[in-house]
Amino acid sequence: MTTTTLAPSALRAEVARWSPSLWIGIGLLAFIVLAGLFAPWLTPYDPLRQDYGAALRAPDAAHWFGTDSLGRDLFTRSLYAIRTDLVIGFWTTYVPMLIGVLLGAYAGLKGGWFDAVLMRVIDTALAFPFLVLIIVILAILGPGTQNIYIAVFLVGWTMYARLARAEMLVESGKDYILAARTLGFPTARILLRHALPNVINSSIVFSMSDFVLNILLVSGLSFLGLGVPAPTPEWGAMVAEGKDFMQQAWWISTLPGLMIVLTGVALALLGDGLTHRLGDRHVTGH
Amino acid sequence: MAGNESSLLTVRDVDVRFAKARTLADIVLRRPAAAVHAVASASLELRPRETLGLVGESGSGKTTLGRAILQLHPVAGGEIRYRGRSVHDPMPDWQRRLRREMQMVFQDPYSSLNPRLTVTQTLGEVLRFHRIVPDAGVAAEVARLLDVVGLPRSMADRLPRAMSGGQRQRVGLARALAVRPTLLVLDEPVAALDVSIQAQILNLLSDLRAEFGLAMLFVAHDLSVVRHVSDRVAVMYRGRLVELGTREEIFLRPAHPYTRMLLAAVPQIVARKRVRPVQAATDMNAAVVGGCPFAPRCPQAVDRCREQVPATAVLSETHSAACHFAAT
């Protein structure tokens, strides 16, 4: 559509511009995603299968991450939890991003009452700590994966709307937007085809750290008992289950916790690499 | 009332104001936000195939007036008519027609093109949107436009960042010409370019004017640029038109002291005589409430200038100036 199909040489040129942090970030994330996808082939155990005879085993050759108090293999559960956490992280990041960027960019382009009302709504939402707002909404709706989605969709778009509006205010004064208006293009075309591709970069970069924060949010909610319901493998819930056994079995909380850290590092590196890759357009662009 | 039959564009008593943000004091005192008068009762006319140069220093309102004509700024008073019909008439057919007949070329060739679209995409979008040619003919029309503005066809797949300022300005010109307009508003089209490139673009503009019979409103701060391309010249100072005349009248018999000041600032190879340097606008806010806006900077100002706004003196059928001393 807006970019021509990448010829092999163009692809090679693109790859040549990737920074080491982008490389490592993409590699780590690909590794994690593949581990989640191929979990059934990577481990002989069932993530839900309980085995009281093998409860609270320390990590060894049979159970790489040890077992929990119900005798479930923690390595298996950590792998299957990749699916849960990345899927929830993806939706809780990119649905709000879509809503927020569209609303914010439109407000920045048009201004007027829509802009004024939207900004006051955002100010109000951002006046509360994010987690507190989510917990309040979940307290009303009740716990569960579906309600986490609803709660985050209601609140998460505000940061993106603010970012996109700020970028749009800069962009809308540029002559190419005026030229599009002079040519009589409708607002939807100006917004989607001309403005959005030029204002979305900062939101994409921000979404990488937001992704990490959302995984931590889901883990935190599960830790508090408001998140993913019990038997489903989820890193935060696993950390919470392990807290009663910290003295005897350190691995129950620690190793799933390290999975969260690893995912966080991968996304942070990816975000850092994207900042440089997307940012250098502005430098060479002038 | 339809405008003069011979006129393509008629601008009558147009005011453009920019509202400042409403301050707390404004709200407490229940008064509206303060406004800056960017253009104050400006009137001018443009005939078919004619080029009118619009000059003035930065802040004089010349760009704003050009943008108001293309409805990029709302107008606070007065009227703008194209072929006798108001440009603010909201009929969709009329608006679509206006978009095809009036186009604009922007000053900054670095921000006037979408950085993510290639030349073909930029021009093709315009051609398809306005159905200038059938879809199958878009590629050929893009190639033709590139020829018209003097760009090699190999530029067609370039992104703006891979082009020079002069090349980008040619693309901006091609985009404006794509709809085959009758009237072109050029907002300082060469101010951001190197001097050698300026001459190329100015020559290109004269060629295009002759070839397509375009009427042009040429906005510039530099009289020497306007001299090459204009049939008539309008001089603006602080939102007001202070002098209007044919090219010869403005350059050989300037009647307003501000025009003379601008002319003195034009560099000359052979200095004819010592000229008074342009006085900077020292204190714009000191501008006289009841007098001539130019009085604080005018070398000829007398008491009368500070007390009475000068009426527009008609010097010939084509020449007028807003100065008490214009007729003498």
Side-chain angles (χ1 to χ4, degrees), chain B residues 237-277:
Chain B
Y237 179 74
R238 300 198 63 196
R240 288 166 195 279
L241 278 175
V242 294
E243 186 165 2
L244 182 67
T246 63
R247 176 167 59 172
E248 290 70 26
E249 284 163 341
I250 295 291
F251 282 90
L252 302 177
R253 296 185 294 282
H256 197 282
Y258 180 61
T259 313
R260 287 201 284 271
M261 235 186 217
L262 287 178
L263 280 171
V266 175
Q268 244 115 34
I269 308 256
V270 184
R272 279 173 300 201
K273 57 179 179 184
R274 296 298 285 165
V275 290
R276 207 191 304 265

Side-chain angles (χ1 to χ4, degrees), chain A residues 234-259:
Chain A
E234 198 283 322
W235 292 326
M238 290 157 76
V239 173
E241 285 159 17
K243 74 175 190 296
D244 301 331
F245 303 93
M246 276 309 274
Q247 304 282 325
Q248 315 97 293
W250 56 270
W251 55 88
I252 303 181
S253 285
T254 311
L255 297 176
L258 282 176
M259 289 296 289

Side-chain angles (χ1 to χ4, degrees), chain A residues 1-4 17 171 174-179 181-186 189 193-195 197-198 201 278 281 284-286, chain B residues 67 70-73 99 102-104 106-108 110-118 121 125-126 129-130 161 168 175 179:
Chain A
M1 256 188 25
T2 51
T3 50
T4 42
R17 302 176 70 177
E171 214 63 22
K174 290 199 179 162
D175 288 343
Y176 74 91
I177 300 286
L178 292 181
R181 284 171 59 194
T182 306
L183 286 160
F185 294 160
R189 176 185 281 257
R193 183 171 159 90
H194 293 275
N198 291 304
N201 282 351
L278 297 175
R281 180 180 65 84
T284 55
H286 211 108
Chain B
R67 290 185 174 184
L70 282 146
Q71 303 179 59
L72 293 174
H73 286 309
R99 295 309 182 187
M102 282 190 210
Q103 270 306 311
M104 183 146 182
F106 294 86
Q107 173 178 5
D108 180 4
Y110 292 94
S111 79
S112 64
L113 300 176
N114 186 335
R116 290 178 172 265
L117 299 184
T118 65
Q121 288 167 336
E125 182 181 21
V126 179
F129 182 80
H130 283 289
R161 66 161 174 259
R168 292 183 204 205
R175 176 179 57 195
V179 295

Side-chain angles (χ1 to χ4, degrees), chain B residues 48-98:
Chain B
R49 298 167 169 269
E50 179 188 46
T51 298
L52 175 66
L54 185 58
V55 291
E57 61 198 8
S58 53
S60 62
K62 53 194 194 302
T63 293
T64 307
L65 181 57
R67 290 185 174 184
I69 290 169
L70 282 146
Q71 303 179 59
L72 293 174
H73 286 309
V75 167
E79 57 177 11
I80 301 172
R81 287 173 176 273
Y82 179 78
R83 295 190 193 278
R85 185 171 172 183
S86 169
V87 297
H88 295 107
D89 183 337
M91 283 287 290
D93 285 350
W94 174 240
Q95 288 300 323
R96 203 169 308 129
R97 182 174 157 202
L98 280 178

Side-chain angles (χ1 to χ4, degrees), chain B residues 5-18:
Chain B
E5 278 305 311
S6 67
S7 117
L8 182 68
L9 179 78
T10 315
V11 172
R12 192 170 301 141
D13 300 328
V14 162
D15 280 316
V16 181
R17 295 194 189 104
F18 290 119

